[in-house]
Amino acid sequence: MGLGELSRLLQLHLPKKFQEGQEGGPSKKVKLLPEGEETVFTIPGFESYGCGECHQPEQLLDKSIDRMRQTLNRLTVNFPERPPLKQFIIQPWADEWLRPGQFAHTTFDTIRIFPAAILVDSKVYENATHLHESLHLTQPFLGVANELEAYGLNIRSDPRFLILNFPYFSDTVTEFFIPEFSDILKRFFARPVKERASVNGADMIVPKEVQWFLMPFEDDTLTKISVAVEKMEPLLQEVSRLNRKYPLKAAYLGEQTRAASLLLDIAAVKTLPLPPLDLDPASLKEAFSILDVQFNKLDNTRLGYRIDRKHEALMTMTYHLRLKDTAIRLGIYFRFLKQRFIGDDGEVKLVVPDAEDFKKYVEEKRRDIKKMADSPKLTPIEKAGALRMLDSIPED
């Protein structure tokens, strides 16, 4: 599909302004898997938001049901656990549960998705968003580690997802698989995109990420990334294991460090031999001290900052220690992770810098989930899912 046609379709399916009391709409209850529970598919506000002017509700619901059946079958290739999908909402409006900039959002046993996102997902991404959100349903808690794990599923199907979501993967890819990965990123994102330009008389509204995905890119480079992803399989599996065995600590460390790639980086130093590092012991010790200071800071959790502590440490090394070589800085960083998070037995130990801060973080998340469960805008299915998650989180 060309950009002009995709833009035209998206223009017709932009999120509407929420209208109180207009949430009723067609629905259908089916079993997606023979051994599974029933799932409610619904299009709230179908008539009041004008969907009925162009669409038949039964046809849209049946297409969504078929899409999700295929998605769940794909998911079981890597994750045998059945996602507890009890509700699938095609949502024509934007609100706090599904914001305008999002494609879709998993709440509690529920996937909410915009009509425009379904268009992009089915016509461009081969339903990668459906796959991504389905995996979220199987995760026991919240946090950036969930996104890392879900994008790890997406990169298995297409290397372009690794480039588009590079903050989760680039340091591990650069250190262990493709040293020139930063140059690949520059070439990929240097390709010009159309931003609010006129295409066939209409404004272009296709997101930049979608345009980059659609553009032809170097076949040999995409093949090289695909090979790297195959070699990363043990690391991706370890990310999933850690996220499910230590969901609270994984979530906390994600917020405390704001390092989106942290679990993958830890999995890498557990699983792979570190490349050689040519650095004198005194400089290495000083660099470790810089990393230690940054990774012990609690401003993100206590004050609500959003500072990437890994990035801050690497930048400090650049200017204070005059370490301009990216390979040297990454070599130091990964050695620091091995010292901090890998025990003498070779197993991962997710160390939190402050036990009291960790406890307060969990308490805050419990309050957040309770507040969500009390929201009148959640459906009964979502409320029940929120309360069940709340019950699963230890209070001390």
Side-chain angles (χ1 to χ4, degrees), residues 183-215:
D183 293 329
I184 294 173
L185 292 177
K186 291 175 184 176
R187 296 198 302 272
F188 187 88
F189 292 115
R191 298 173 300 163
V193 296
K194 298 182 183 296
E195 298 188 66
R196 306 302 299 183
S198 178
V199 178
N200 297 329
D203 280 348
M204 167 61 64
I205 63 166
V206 178
K208 291 187 295 184
E209 294 79 9
V210 178
Q211 294 184 53
W212 279 315
F213 191 93
L214 281 169
M215 291 180 198

PDB file of all heavy atoms in Angstrom, residues 183-215:
ATOM      1  N   ASP A 183      26.230   3.338  13.046  1.00  0.00           N
ATOM      2  CA  ASP A 183      26.229   3.842  11.668  1.00  0.00           C
ATOM      3  C   ASP A 183      24.985   3.361  10.918  1.00  0.00           C
ATOM      4  O   ASP A 183      24.428   4.099  10.086  1.00  0.00           O
ATOM      5  CB  ASP A 183      27.484   3.377  10.933  1.00  0.00           C
ATOM      6  CG  ASP A 183      28.758   3.992  11.500  1.00  0.00           C
ATOM      7  OD1 ASP A 183      28.682   5.131  12.002  1.00  0.00           O
ATOM      8  OD2 ASP A 183      29.814   3.331  11.457  1.00  0.00           O
ATOM      9  N   ILE A 184      24.551   2.150  11.218  1.00  0.00           N
ATOM     10  CA  ILE A 184      23.320   1.639  10.605  1.00  0.00           C
ATOM     11  C   ILE A 184      22.134   2.501  11.020  1.00  0.00           C
ATOM     12  O   ILE A 184      21.289   2.872  10.190  1.00  0.00           O
ATOM     13  CB  ILE A 184      23.103   0.170  11.004  1.00  0.00           C
ATOM     14  CG1 ILE A 184      24.185  -0.720  10.410  1.00  0.00           C
ATOM     15  CG2 ILE A 184      21.705  -0.304  10.567  1.00  0.00           C
ATOM     16  CD1 ILE A 184      24.143  -2.155  10.898  1.00  0.00           C
ATOM     17  N   LEU A 185      22.077   2.841  12.288  1.00  0.00           N
ATOM     18  CA  LEU A 185      20.981   3.694  12.767  1.00  0.00           C
ATOM     19  C   LEU A 185      20.979   5.037  12.054  1.00  0.00           C
ATOM     20  O   LEU A 185      19.918   5.539  11.645  1.00  0.00           O
ATOM     21  CB  LEU A 185      21.109   3.917  14.273  1.00  0.00           C
ATOM     22  CG  LEU A 185      20.892   2.708  15.180  1.00  0.00           C
ATOM     23  CD1 LEU A 185      21.124   3.097  16.638  1.00  0.00           C
ATOM     24  CD2 LEU A 185      19.494   2.129  15.009  1.00  0.00           C
ATOM     25  N   LYS A 186      22.145   5.636  11.899  1.00  0.00           N
ATOM     26  CA  LYS A 186      22.225   6.933  11.228  1.00  0.00           C
ATOM     27  C   LYS A 186      21.697   6.841   9.793  1.00  0.00           C
ATOM     28  O   LYS A 186      20.955   7.721   9.336  1.00  0.00           O
ATOM     29  CB  LYS A 186      23.664   7.436  11.237  1.00  0.00           C
ATOM     30  CG  LYS A 186      24.165   7.838  12.611  1.00  0.00           C
ATOM     31  CD  LYS A 186      25.647   8.208  12.568  1.00  0.00           C
ATOM     32  CE  LYS A 186      26.170   8.517  13.966  1.00  0.00           C
ATOM     33  NZ  LYS A 186      27.638   8.780  13.961  1.00  0.00           N
ATOM     34  N   ARG A 187      22.082   5.794   9.085  1.00  0.00           N
ATOM     35  CA  ARG A 187      21.636   5.652   7.692  1.00  0.00           C
ATOM     36  C   ARG A 187      20.134   5.391   7.619  1.00  0.00           C
ATOM     37  O   ARG A 187      19.431   5.919   6.749  1.00  0.00           O
ATOM     38  CB  ARG A 187      22.397   4.508   6.996  1.00  0.00           C
ATOM     39  CG  ARG A 187      23.886   4.742   6.872  1.00  0.00           C
ATOM     40  CD  ARG A 187      24.511   3.832   5.824  1.00  0.00           C
ATOM     41  NE  ARG A 187      24.309   2.418   6.092  1.00  0.00           N
ATOM     42  CZ  ARG A 187      25.126   1.665   6.845  1.00  0.00           C
ATOM     43  NH1 ARG A 187      26.181   2.228   7.441  1.00  0.00           N
ATOM     44  NH2 ARG A 187      24.898   0.369   7.032  1.00  0.00           N
ATOM     45  N   PHE A 188      19.632   4.592   8.535  1.00  0.00           N
ATOM     46  CA  PHE A 188      18.206   4.249   8.526  1.00  0.00           C
ATOM     47  C   PHE A 188      17.345   5.492   8.766  1.00  0.00           C
ATOM     48  O   PHE A 188      16.381   5.750   8.044  1.00  0.00           O
ATOM     49  CB  PHE A 188      17.924   3.197   9.602  1.00  0.00           C
ATOM     50  CG  PHE A 188      16.522   2.654   9.585  1.00  0.00           C
ATOM     51  CD1 PHE A 188      16.190   1.560   8.803  1.00  0.00           C
ATOM     52  CD2 PHE A 188      15.530   3.234  10.370  1.00  0.00           C
ATOM     53  CE1 PHE A 188      14.888   1.054   8.792  1.00  0.00           C
ATOM     54  CE2 PHE A 188      14.236   2.733  10.364  1.00  0.00           C
ATOM     55  CZ  PHE A 188      13.917   1.634   9.569  1.00  0.00           C
ATOM     56  N   PHE A 189      17.708   6.283   9.783  1.00  0.00           N
ATOM     57  CA  PHE A 189      16.893   7.430  10.155  1.00  0.00           C
ATOM     58  C   PHE A 189      17.219   8.689   9.347  1.00  0.00           C
ATOM     59  O   PHE A 189      16.514   9.694   9.466  1.00  0.00           O
ATOM     60  CB  PHE A 189      17.034   7.714  11.651  1.00  0.00           C
ATOM     61  CG  PHE A 189      16.435   6.647  12.525  1.00  0.00           C
ATOM     62  CD1 PHE A 189      17.231   5.877  13.348  1.00  0.00           C
ATOM     63  CD2 PHE A 189      15.080   6.404  12.499  1.00  0.00           C
ATOM     64  CE1 PHE A 189      16.675   4.884  14.156  1.00  0.00           C
ATOM     65  CE2 PHE A 189      14.512   5.410  13.289  1.00  0.00           C
ATOM     66  CZ  PHE A 189      15.310   4.656  14.119  1.00  0.00           C
ATOM     67  N   ALA A 190      18.283   8.625   8.535  1.00  0.00           N
ATOM     68  CA  ALA A 190      18.613   9.776   7.682  1.00  0.00           C
ATOM     69  C   ALA A 190      17.699   9.861   6.465  1.00  0.00           C
ATOM     70  O   ALA A 190      17.632  10.907   5.813  1.00  0.00           O
ATOM     71  CB  ALA A 190      20.072   9.684   7.234  1.00  0.00           C
ATOM     72  N   ARG A 191      16.991   8.801   6.159  1.00  0.00           N
ATOM     73  CA  ARG A 191      16.105   8.821   4.987  1.00  0.00           C
ATOM     74  C   ARG A 191      14.952   9.787   5.244  1.00  0.00           C
ATOM     75  O   ARG A 191      14.292   9.717   6.290  1.00  0.00           O
ATOM     76  CB  ARG A 191      15.589   7.410   4.711  1.00  0.00           C
ATOM     77  CG  ARG A 191      16.701   6.419   4.387  1.00  0.00           C
ATOM     78  CD  ARG A 191      16.187   4.997   4.283  1.00  0.00           C
ATOM     79  NE  ARG A 191      15.582   4.581   5.545  1.00  0.00           N
ATOM     80  CZ  ARG A 191      14.769   3.528   5.674  1.00  0.00           C
ATOM     81  NH1 ARG A 191      14.446   2.814   4.615  1.00  0.00           N
ATOM     82  NH2 ARG A 191      14.275   3.212   6.847  1.00  0.00           N
ATOM     83  N   PRO A 192      14.698  10.679   4.321  1.00  0.00           N
ATOM     84  CA  PRO A 192      13.671  11.712   4.546  1.00  0.00           C
ATOM     85  C   PRO A 192      12.263  11.131   4.585  1.00  0.00           C
ATOM     86  O   PRO A 192      11.936  10.194   3.858  1.00  0.00           O
ATOM     87  CB  PRO A 192      13.845  12.660   3.354  1.00  0.00           C
ATOM     88  CG  PRO A 192      14.480  11.809   2.291  1.00  0.00           C
ATOM     89  CD  PRO A 192      15.345  10.825   3.012  1.00  0.00           C
ATOM     90  N   VAL A 193      11.448  11.691   5.472  1.00  0.00           N
ATOM     91  CA  VAL A 193      10.043  11.309   5.565  1.00  0.00           C
ATOM     92  C   VAL A 193       9.181  12.536   5.294  1.00  0.00           C
ATOM     93  O   VAL A 193       9.646  13.671   5.355  1.00  0.00           O
ATOM     94  CB  VAL A 193       9.697  10.729   6.958  1.00  0.00           C
ATOM     95  CG1 VAL A 193      10.453   9.441   7.200  1.00  0.00           C
ATOM     96  CG2 VAL A 193      10.005  11.751   8.055  1.00  0.00           C
ATOM     97  N   LYS A 194       7.940  12.285   4.989  1.00  0.00           N
ATOM     98  CA  LYS A 194       6.989  13.370   4.746  1.00  0.00           C
ATOM     99  C   LYS A 194       6.305  13.717   6.065  1.00  0.00           C
ATOM    100  O   LYS A 194       5.708  12.847   6.695  1.00  0.00           O
ATOM    101  CB  LYS A 194       5.955  12.948   3.705  1.00  0.00           C
ATOM    102  CG  LYS A 194       6.558  12.622   2.343  1.00  0.00           C
ATOM    103  CD  LYS A 194       5.486  12.249   1.340  1.00  0.00           C
ATOM    104  CE  LYS A 194       6.086  11.844   0.011  1.00  0.00           C
ATOM    105  NZ  LYS A 194       6.798  12.939  -0.653  1.00  0.00           N
ATOM    106  N   GLU A 195       6.401  14.961   6.473  1.00  0.00           N
ATOM    107  CA  GLU A 195       5.787  15.409   7.722  1.00  0.00           C
ATOM    108  C   GLU A 195       4.732  16.460   7.420  1.00  0.00           C
ATOM    109  O   GLU A 195       5.063  17.579   7.031  1.00  0.00           O
ATOM    110  CB  GLU A 195       6.845  15.977   8.667  1.00  0.00           C
ATOM    111  CG  GLU A 195       7.891  14.947   9.078  1.00  0.00           C
ATOM    112  CD  GLU A 195       8.805  15.472  10.152  1.00  0.00           C
ATOM    113  OE1 GLU A 195       8.320  15.710  11.266  1.00  0.00           O
ATOM    114  OE2 GLU A 195      10.002  15.647   9.877  1.00  0.00           O
ATOM    115  N   ARG A 196       3.487  16.089   7.572  1.00  0.00           N
ATOM    116  CA  ARG A 196       2.350  16.977   7.323  1.00  0.00           C
ATOM    117  C   ARG A 196       2.402  17.593   5.936  1.00  0.00           C
ATOM    118  O   ARG A 196       1.893  18.678   5.701  1.00  0.00           O
ATOM    119  CB  ARG A 196       2.278  18.092   8.365  1.00  0.00           C
ATOM    120  CG  ARG A 196       2.272  17.628   9.798  1.00  0.00           C
ATOM    121  CD  ARG A 196       1.141  16.697  10.139  1.00  0.00           C
ATOM    122  NE  ARG A 196      -0.164  17.300   9.943  1.00  0.00           N
ATOM    123  CZ  ARG A 196      -1.311  16.691  10.243  1.00  0.00           C
ATOM    124  NH1 ARG A 196      -1.284  15.462  10.754  1.00  0.00           N
ATOM    125  NH2 ARG A 196      -2.459  17.290  10.037  1.00  0.00           N
ATOM    126  N   ALA A 197       3.020  16.896   4.993  1.00  0.00           N
ATOM    127  CA  ALA A 197       3.083  17.399   3.626  1.00  0.00           C
ATOM    128  C   ALA A 197       1.841  16.959   2.865  1.00  0.00           C
ATOM    129  O   ALA A 197       1.146  16.014   3.238  1.00  0.00           O
ATOM    130  CB  ALA A 197       4.338  16.876   2.932  1.00  0.00           C
ATOM    131  N   SER A 198       1.562  17.629   1.779  1.00  0.00           N
ATOM    132  CA  SER A 198       0.394  17.295   0.969  1.00  0.00           C
ATOM    133  C   SER A 198       0.730  16.134   0.046  1.00  0.00           C
ATOM    134  O   SER A 198       1.728  16.166  -0.686  1.00  0.00           O
ATOM    135  CB  SER A 198      -0.048  18.510   0.155  1.00  0.00           C
ATOM    136  OG  SER A 198      -1.148  18.178  -0.658  1.00  0.00           O
ATOM    137  N   VAL A 199      -0.082  15.096   0.097  1.00  0.00           N
ATOM    138  CA  VAL A 199       0.065  13.941  -0.778  1.00  0.00           C
ATOM    139  C   VAL A 199      -1.271  13.725  -1.482  1.00  0.00           C
ATOM    140  O   VAL A 199      -2.277  13.419  -0.842  1.00  0.00           O
ATOM    141  CB  VAL A 199       0.474  12.675   0.006  1.00  0.00           C
ATOM    142  CG1 VAL A 199       0.574  11.488  -0.935  1.00  0.00           C
ATOM    143  CG2 VAL A 199       1.791  12.898   0.728  1.00  0.00           C
ATOM    144  N   ASN A 200      -1.265  13.903  -2.785  1.00  0.00           N
ATOM    145  CA  ASN A 200      -2.507  13.781  -3.566  1.00  0.00           C
ATOM    146  C   ASN A 200      -3.607  14.687  -3.010  1.00  0.00           C
ATOM    147  O   ASN A 200      -4.774  14.299  -2.918  1.00  0.00           O
ATOM    148  CB  ASN A 200      -2.984  12.323  -3.588  1.00  0.00           C
ATOM    149  CG  ASN A 200      -1.995  11.399  -4.274  1.00  0.00           C
ATOM    150  OD1 ASN A 200      -1.282  11.818  -5.183  1.00  0.00           O
ATOM    151  ND2 ASN A 200      -1.940  10.153  -3.842  1.00  0.00           N
ATOM    152  N   GLY A 201      -3.202  15.882  -2.602  1.00  0.00           N
ATOM    153  CA  GLY A 201      -4.187  16.861  -2.156  1.00  0.00           C
ATOM    154  C   GLY A 201      -4.608  16.736  -0.708  1.00  0.00           C
ATOM    155  O   GLY A 201      -5.433  17.511  -0.236  1.00  0.00           O
ATOM    156  N   ALA A 202      -4.053  15.782   0.023  1.00  0.00           N
ATOM    157  CA  ALA A 202      -4.420  15.600   1.436  1.00  0.00           C
ATOM    158  C   ALA A 202      -3.166  15.644   2.300  1.00  0.00           C
ATOM    159  O   ALA A 202      -2.060  15.357   1.839  1.00  0.00           O
ATOM    160  CB  ALA A 202      -5.140  14.266   1.628  1.00  0.00           C
ATOM    161  N   ASP A 203      -3.341  16.012   3.571  1.00  0.00           N
ATOM    162  CA  ASP A 203      -2.207  16.052   4.489  1.00  0.00           C
ATOM    163  C   ASP A 203      -1.698  14.649   4.788  1.00  0.00           C
ATOM    164  O   ASP A 203      -2.482  13.716   5.007  1.00  0.00           O
ATOM    165  CB  ASP A 203      -2.613  16.717   5.818  1.00  0.00           C
ATOM    166  CG  ASP A 203      -2.612  18.227   5.714  1.00  0.00           C
ATOM    167  OD1 ASP A 203      -2.091  18.737   4.711  1.00  0.00           O
ATOM    168  OD2 ASP A 203      -3.156  18.875   6.621  1.00  0.00           O
ATOM    169  N   MET A 204      -0.376  14.503   4.787  1.00  0.00           N
ATOM    170  CA  MET A 204       0.245  13.233   5.155  1.00  0.00           C
ATOM    171  C   MET A 204       0.246  13.090   6.667  1.00  0.00           C
ATOM    172  O   MET A 204       0.770  13.947   7.378  1.00  0.00           O
ATOM    173  CB  MET A 204       1.688  13.188   4.633  1.00  0.00           C
ATOM    174  CG  MET A 204       2.552  12.056   5.198  1.00  0.00           C
ATOM    175  SD  MET A 204       1.908  10.434   4.813  1.00  0.00           S
ATOM    176  CE  MET A 204       2.049  10.463   3.026  1.00  0.00           C
ATOM    177  N   ILE A 205      -0.364  12.029   7.171  1.00  0.00           N
ATOM    178  CA  ILE A 205      -0.397  11.827   8.617  1.00  0.00           C
ATOM    179  C   ILE A 205       0.177  10.467   9.015  1.00  0.00           C
ATOM    180  O   ILE A 205       0.049  10.059  10.150  1.00  0.00           O
ATOM    181  CB  ILE A 205      -1.833  11.950   9.159  1.00  0.00           C
ATOM    182  CG1 ILE A 205      -2.729  10.863   8.558  1.00  0.00           C
ATOM    183  CG2 ILE A 205      -2.401  13.323   8.932  1.00  0.00           C
ATOM    184  CD1 ILE A 205      -4.042  10.718   9.287  1.00  0.00           C
ATOM    185  N   VAL A 206       0.809   9.780   8.080  1.00  0.00           N
ATOM    186  CA  VAL A 206       1.411   8.489   8.422  1.00  0.00           C
ATOM    187  C   VAL A 206       2.591   8.735   9.358  1.00  0.00           C
ATOM    188  O   VAL A 206       3.483   9.527   9.047  1.00  0.00           O
ATOM    189  CB  VAL A 206       1.896   7.755   7.157  1.00  0.00           C
ATOM    190  CG1 VAL A 206       2.564   6.435   7.526  1.00  0.00           C
ATOM    191  CG2 VAL A 206       0.728   7.516   6.206  1.00  0.00           C
ATOM    192  N   PRO A 207       2.623   8.092  10.530  1.00  0.00           N
ATOM    193  CA  PRO A 207       3.736   8.302  11.476  1.00  0.00           C
ATOM    194  C   PRO A 207       5.092   8.056  10.828  1.00  0.00           C
ATOM    195  O   PRO A 207       5.233   7.202   9.942  1.00  0.00           O
ATOM    196  CB  PRO A 207       3.459   7.282  12.582  1.00  0.00           C
ATOM    197  CG  PRO A 207       1.986   7.044  12.519  1.00  0.00           C
ATOM    198  CD  PRO A 207       1.621   7.149  11.067  1.00  0.00           C
ATOM    199  N   LYS A 208       6.105   8.795  11.290  1.00  0.00           N
ATOM    200  CA  LYS A 208       7.449   8.652  10.721  1.00  0.00           C
ATOM    201  C   LYS A 208       7.945   7.215  10.810  1.00  0.00           C
ATOM    202  O   LYS A 208       8.579   6.711   9.879  1.00  0.00           O
ATOM    203  CB  LYS A 208       8.417   9.582  11.462  1.00  0.00           C
ATOM    204  CG  LYS A 208       8.189  11.055  11.202  1.00  0.00           C
ATOM    205  CD  LYS A 208       9.293  11.913  11.832  1.00  0.00           C
ATOM    206  CE  LYS A 208       9.273  11.825  13.346  1.00  0.00           C
ATOM    207  NZ  LYS A 208      10.292  12.739  13.952  1.00  0.00           N
ATOM    208  N   GLU A 209       7.676   6.568  11.938  1.00  0.00           N
ATOM    209  CA  GLU A 209       8.146   5.195  12.121  1.00  0.00           C
ATOM    210  C   GLU A 209       7.567   4.262  11.061  1.00  0.00           C
ATOM    211  O   GLU A 209       8.253   3.350  10.585  1.00  0.00           O
ATOM    212  CB  GLU A 209       7.779   4.697  13.518  1.00  0.00           C
ATOM    213  CG  GLU A 209       8.485   5.413  14.649  1.00  0.00           C
ATOM    214  CD  GLU A 209       7.874   6.771  14.975  1.00  0.00           C
ATOM    215  OE1 GLU A 209       6.788   7.099  14.427  1.00  0.00           O
ATOM    216  OE2 GLU A 209       8.481   7.511  15.772  1.00  0.00           O
ATOM    217  N   VAL A 210       6.321   4.486  10.715  1.00  0.00           N
ATOM    218  CA  VAL A 210       5.685   3.653   9.700  1.00  0.00           C
ATOM    219  C   VAL A 210       6.304   3.927   8.333  1.00  0.00           C
ATOM    220  O   VAL A 210       6.537   3.008   7.534  1.00  0.00           O
ATOM    221  CB  VAL A 210       4.167   3.901   9.674  1.00  0.00           C
ATOM    222  CG1 VAL A 210       3.499   3.072   8.585  1.00  0.00           C
ATOM    223  CG2 VAL A 210       3.553   3.582  11.036  1.00  0.00           C
ATOM    224  N   GLN A 211       6.580   5.190   8.045  1.00  0.00           N
ATOM    225  CA  GLN A 211       7.207   5.532   6.767  1.00  0.00           C
ATOM    226  C   GLN A 211       8.585   4.889   6.649  1.00  0.00           C
ATOM    227  O   GLN A 211       8.934   4.327   5.607  1.00  0.00           O
ATOM    228  CB  GLN A 211       7.318   7.046   6.629  1.00  0.00           C
ATOM    229  CG  GLN A 211       5.974   7.761   6.528  1.00  0.00           C
ATOM    230  CD  GLN A 211       6.139   9.246   6.285  1.00  0.00           C
ATOM    231  OE1 GLN A 211       6.833   9.660   5.348  1.00  0.00           O
ATOM    232  NE2 GLN A 211       5.503  10.067   7.114  1.00  0.00           N
ATOM    233  N   TRP A 212       9.394   4.967   7.712  1.00  0.00           N
ATOM    234  CA  TRP A 212      10.717   4.339   7.678  1.00  0.00           C
ATOM    235  C   TRP A 212      10.606   2.828   7.497  1.00  0.00           C
ATOM    236  O   TRP A 212      11.413   2.213   6.802  1.00  0.00           O
ATOM    237  CB  TRP A 212      11.482   4.660   8.957  1.00  0.00           C
ATOM    238  CG  TRP A 212      12.138   6.002   8.962  1.00  0.00           C
ATOM    239  CD1 TRP A 212      12.861   6.568   7.948  1.00  0.00           C
ATOM    240  CD2 TRP A 212      12.141   6.948  10.040  1.00  0.00           C
ATOM    241  NE1 TRP A 212      13.314   7.811   8.328  1.00  0.00           N
ATOM    242  CE2 TRP A 212      12.889   8.074   9.614  1.00  0.00           C
ATOM    243  CE3 TRP A 212      11.603   6.965  11.318  1.00  0.00           C
ATOM    244  CZ2 TRP A 212      13.118   9.185  10.408  1.00  0.00           C
ATOM    245  CZ3 TRP A 212      11.814   8.075  12.127  1.00  0.00           C
ATOM    246  CH2 TRP A 212      12.559   9.168  11.674  1.00  0.00           C
ATOM    247  N   PHE A 213       9.601   2.238   8.136  1.00  0.00           N
ATOM    248  CA  PHE A 213       9.402   0.797   8.020  1.00  0.00           C
ATOM    249  C   PHE A 213       9.078   0.411   6.577  1.00  0.00           C
ATOM    250  O   PHE A 213       9.553  -0.612   6.067  1.00  0.00           O
ATOM    251  CB  PHE A 213       8.270   0.360   8.950  1.00  0.00           C
ATOM    252  CG  PHE A 213       8.142  -1.133   9.130  1.00  0.00           C
ATOM    253  CD1 PHE A 213       8.768  -1.767  10.182  1.00  0.00           C
ATOM    254  CD2 PHE A 213       7.389  -1.896   8.250  1.00  0.00           C
ATOM    255  CE1 PHE A 213       8.661  -3.138  10.359  1.00  0.00           C
ATOM    256  CE2 PHE A 213       7.268  -3.271   8.417  1.00  0.00           C
ATOM    257  CZ  PHE A 213       7.912  -3.887   9.469  1.00  0.00           C
ATOM    258  N   LEU A 214       8.272   1.232   5.906  1.00  0.00           N
ATOM    259  CA  LEU A 214       7.832   0.933   4.539  1.00  0.00           C
ATOM    260  C   LEU A 214       8.928   1.156   3.502  1.00  0.00           C
ATOM    261  O   LEU A 214       8.939   0.490   2.457  1.00  0.00           O
ATOM    262  CB  LEU A 214       6.626   1.799   4.186  1.00  0.00           C
ATOM    263  CG  LEU A 214       5.272   1.344   4.723  1.00  0.00           C
ATOM    264  CD1 LEU A 214       4.230   2.430   4.523  1.00  0.00           C
ATOM    265  CD2 LEU A 214       4.836   0.059   4.021  1.00  0.00           C
ATOM    266  N   MET A 215       9.841   2.091   3.769  1.00  0.00           N
ATOM    267  CA  MET A 215      10.882   2.404   2.777  1.00  0.00           C
ATOM    268  C   MET A 215      11.839   1.229   2.589  1.00  0.00           C
ATOM    269  O   MET A 215      12.202   0.558   3.552  1.00  0.00           O
ATOM    270  CB  MET A 215      11.707   3.599   3.244  1.00  0.00           C
ATOM    271  CG  MET A 215      11.006   4.915   3.248  1.00  0.00           C
ATOM    272  SD  MET A 215      12.185   6.181   3.846  1.00  0.00           S
ATOM    273  CE  MET A 215      11.026   7.465   4.285  1.00  0.00           C
TER     274      MET A 215
END
